[in-house]
Every structure is written in structure tokens, then in C-alpha cells.
């Protein structure tokens, strides 16, 4: 099995069996994202306490890239501090721009190839755009 095959399997696995799928009644951030060019939609909720992401959950619909990216992201940021989550977000954006990252991206590494397909980059970044908005809600709850 080639690395490409392995990555494809990983993406499909997250798409078919999304992790942290559902809603978080106790969440203190909630955002809704749309990618009209592909029809992807994601709702992302975080429970943050003492500057740490205790739980992350998402629901949505769309292409495998958008949903797998959201699933992998919730796994990557759970238990992380807000600063660490932002650092992971920045590394993922770098990866989508075809730049090398030093961090072990875990399952997220499977999305590296998306950088070669500009139309799909938006799909992969949708959940992360949601993370960016969510982290801003924490810093500035009034949303100003
Ligand atoms: Zn998409």
C-alpha cells in the first residue's frame, strides 16, 4: 500500500466515521461555516475552560475533504491550550500553502496532498476557519 493509498483510506475513514460528531450543549463557542463553491457546511462548537479546549464537536455535510478535515481537527485540538490550538491552526494553513511544517500533524498529514488542488484547499480549511472564529469568540466574547 502506497502512502497515497494510506492517506486516502484515512480521509475516507474520518469521513465515514467522523470523530466528535454532534453537538455540545455545554459549549461556550459556536460557529457556522459555509463553503458555497463546494456546498460544504460545518457547525463547530468548543468547550473551553481555563484556557484549554476541553471538548470540541462538529456537525455538517459536504465533501469528504471538508468533513474529514473537521473530524481530524477536533481530535488534534482536544485537550490543547488556546495558544497550542492556534499554533496547530497556523501549521495546518502552512501545510495547505505547500510549506513544510515541523510539527507531527498526525492524521492531518493525510491532507497534505490537498495543497496541490487549489479548489479543494477551501474545503480542507473550512473547519479551521471555524476554529479561528471560535478562538476569537473566546478572546472577545462580545464578538466585536
Ligand atoms: Zn468541499
Amino acid at each position: 500500500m502506497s502512502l497515497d493509498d494510506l492517506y486516502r483510506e484515512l480521509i475516507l475513514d474520518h469521513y465515514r466515521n467522523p470523530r466528535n460528531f454532534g453537538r455540545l450543549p455545554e459549549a461556550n463557542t459556536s460557529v457556522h461555516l459555509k463553503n458555497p463553491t463546494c456546498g460544504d457546511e460545518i457547525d463547530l462548537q468548543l468547550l473551553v475552560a481555563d484556557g484549554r479546549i476541553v471538548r470540541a464537536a462538529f456537525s455538517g455535510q459536504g465533501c469528504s475533504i471538508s468533513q474529514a478535515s473537521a473530524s481530524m481537527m477536533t481530535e488534534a485540538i482536544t485537550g490543547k491550550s488556546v495558544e497550542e490550538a492556534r499554533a496547530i491552526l497556523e501549521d495546518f494553513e502552512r501545510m495547505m500553502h505547500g510549506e513544510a511544517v515541523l510539527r507531527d500533524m498526525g492524521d492531518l498529514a493525510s491532507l497534505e496532498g490537498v495543497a496541490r488542488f487549489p479548489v479543494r484547499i477551501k474545503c480542507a480549511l473550512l473547519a479551521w476557519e471555524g476554529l479561528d472564529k471560535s478562538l476569537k469568540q473566546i478572546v472577545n466574547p462580545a464578538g466585536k
Side-chain angles (χ1 to χ4, degrees):
M1 205 184 217
S2 74
L3 191 61
D4 273 353
D5 289 338
L6 191 75
Y7 280 175
R8 199 170 300 124
E9 283 297 311
L10 206 50
I11 291 167
L12 284 176
D13 180 48
H14 275 270
Y15 176 57
R16 290 176 183 142
N17 311 294
R19 324 300 199 261
N20 305 302
F21 194 86
R23 297 192 65 81
L24 273 184
E26 69 272 46
N28 39 28
T29 75
S30 187
V31 293
H32 180 75
L33 283 304
K34 265 186 187 178
N35 174 19
T37 53
C38 184
D40 307 318
E41 289 193 48
I42 287 172
D43 280 289
L44 176 69
Q45 296 182 301
L46 304 180
L47 170 62
V48 181
D50 299 327
R52 196 163 286 277
I53 297 167
V54 181
R55 286 191 68 189
F58 84 100
S59 56
Q61 54 183 21
C63 69
S64 56
I65 301 284
S66 68
Q67 304 302 306
S69 183
S71 170
M72 292 172 186
M73 183 191 78
T74 59
E75 281 200 319
I77 62 173
T78 298
K80 299 289 193 297
S81 70
V82 168
E83 290 76 21
E84 284 170 309
R86 181 156 290 286
I88 296 169
L89 161 67
E90 285 166 5
D91 274 350
F92 188 77
E93 286 174 341
R94 272 185 207 108
M95 203 172 87
M96 285 301 105
H97 292 120
E99 295 168 35
V101 293
L102 297 174
R103 177 191 307 275
D104 175 5
M105 296 300 278
D107 286 2
L108 289 164
S110 65
L111 292 168
E112 196 173 7
V114 174
R116 295 195 302 269
F117 304 94
V119 183
R120 310 312 301 277
I121 294 174
K122 271 191 145 184
C123 303
L125 281 176
L126 189 65
W128 299 83
E129 202 184 303
L131 177 61
D132 182 48
K133 285 186 177 167
S134 302
L135 295 178
K136 281 173 182 155
Q137 282 185 5
I138 297 161
V139 176
N140 189 358
K144 286 171 195 158

